[in-house]
Amino acid sequence: MTRPASPAGGEGASRPFATAMLLAAGIGRRMRPLTETRPKPLVEVGGKALLDHVLDRLPPAGVETAVVNVHHFAGQMEAHLAARRTPRILISDERDGLLDSGGGVRRALPMLGREPFIVCNCDSFWIEGPRSNLAAMTANWDPARMDILMLLAATATSVGFEGAGDYHLDPGGRLRRRREGEVVPFAYAGVLLIKPDLFDDMPAVFSLNRLFDAAEAAGRLFGRRLDGVWLHVGTPQAVQEAERRIALSSIQ
């Protein structure tokens, strides 16, 4: 694990998607009591920390470096990450205060580099289909049309997600956010590809939703359907549901 003192941490990111940002600094209030003694990304599902489920998906997609932001039980996070060998880990320290999802990425930009990169939530993972979903996303990235490409999960087959969905996906892959009172078939699965220049001139603290809405308005927000089963782990009950689904998949 590397904890850089200067922006040089991202100097090796010379191609798109060689780096990824893991949003891991949240307090995890909905996951209590499990998060009273540990950070949410270190809650275990299927015998492995949520954080490791996400990190293990990155190298097969060509990711060499992962930047992980830390805040809640930051020392535990750093100790856990120190044991990993791949991908290379850089720490973005938010002990001085949470910056929301967009602000967390913005602070880490010097480590992420100036090529498009991957952003992942640490409470979402999936049972993979026949091909790496991340590899499929990077292969389908089209910078001429896209500013953001999201991984989408079908709400009807997802585990741990309750709600009316997040986005409508048109036949060309463009996304439209769900309107008031509407039910849509897809949820944002917590993974996206994004251009770094979208963060230029943004404030220190802001939500990624601002960039999603701007890209949608410009017709440059796209989605790709997840091949597999999405496991959204946001509560202790959802941990149990995910455990059952993982156990079922192992005997199918």
Side-chain angles (χ1 to χ4, degrees):
M1 179 182 68
T2 306
R3 188 175 175 183
S6 71
E11 63 187 4
S14 59
R15 60 174 177 80
F17 314 118
T19 59
M21 175 79 195
L22 273 67
L23 298 174
I27 294 174
R29 292 184 175 89
R30 293 178 63 237
M31 192 69 90
R32 289 174 177 164
L34 299 179
T35 52
E36 290 176 352
T37 57
R38 62 189 141 172
K40 181 178 178 180
L42 296 189
V43 171
E44 290 195 357
V45 179
K48 184 190 298 187
L50 286 170
L51 179 66
D52 290 322
H53 281 287
V54 179
L55 287 169
D56 288 347
R57 297 286 190 216
L58 299 179
V63 175
E64 299 168 359
T65 300
V67 181
V68 183
N69 63 350
V70 299
H71 173 81
H72 187 53
F73 291 113
Q76 288 188 35
M77 289 286 290
E78 290 179 319
H80 181 87
L81 290 165
R84 290 198 62 101
R85 295 295 173 262
T86 56
R88 179 176 70 130
I89 303 295
L90 304 178
I91 297 295
S92 182
D93 197 326
E94 293 183 24
R95 284 179 174 88
D96 57 344
L98 289 170
L99 303 173
D100 208 340
S101 55
V105 178
R106 181 181 180 274
R107 175 176 285 189
L109 283 177
M111 291 178 275
L112 292 165
R114 296 305 298 177
E115 293 286 347
F117 54 84
I118 300 170
V119 179
C120 303
N121 294 345
C122 280
D123 61 355
S124 295
F125 65 103
W126 57 89
I127 298 170
E128 198 80 90
R131 182 187 179 191
S132 162
N133 280 278
L134 285 176
M137 290 180 74
T138 60
N140 283 271
W141 172 256
D142 182 355
R145 294 191 303 148
M146 303 172 180
D147 285 341
I148 299 172
L149 176 61
M150 286 183 174
L151 184 64
L152 301 175
T155 59
T157 58
S158 297
V159 174
F161 179 82
E162 297 180 1
D166 298 318
Y167 285 98
H168 170 76
L169 178 68
D170 78 12
R174 282 190 173 86
L175 297 182
R176 175 181 60 77
R177 191 184 287 273
R178 181 180 66 86
R179 298 183 180 124
E180 184 70 27
E182 185 181 19
V183 176
V184 292
F186 294 105
Y188 169 48
V191 177
L192 59 88
L193 313 183
I194 193 166
K195 293 178 176 177
D197 58 5
L198 299 186
F199 294 86
D200 294 347
D201 303 320
M202 295 303 292
V205 181
F206 76 99
S207 170
L208 282 172
N209 280 301
R210 289 184 58 175
L211 301 183
F212 300 167
D213 292 346
E216 179 187 346
R220 298 182 64 82
L221 179 66
F222 284 75
R224 180 180 176 86
R225 182 171 180 168
L226 181 145
D227 185 5
V229 179
W230 184 45
L231 307 173
H232 179 259
V233 184
T235 65
Q237 179 182 352
V239 171
Q240 297 175 11
E241 293 172 0
E243 294 271 11
R244 287 193 291 269
R245 187 62 183 85
I246 291 170
L248 179 62
S249 69
S250 68
I251 60 175
Q252 288 178 334

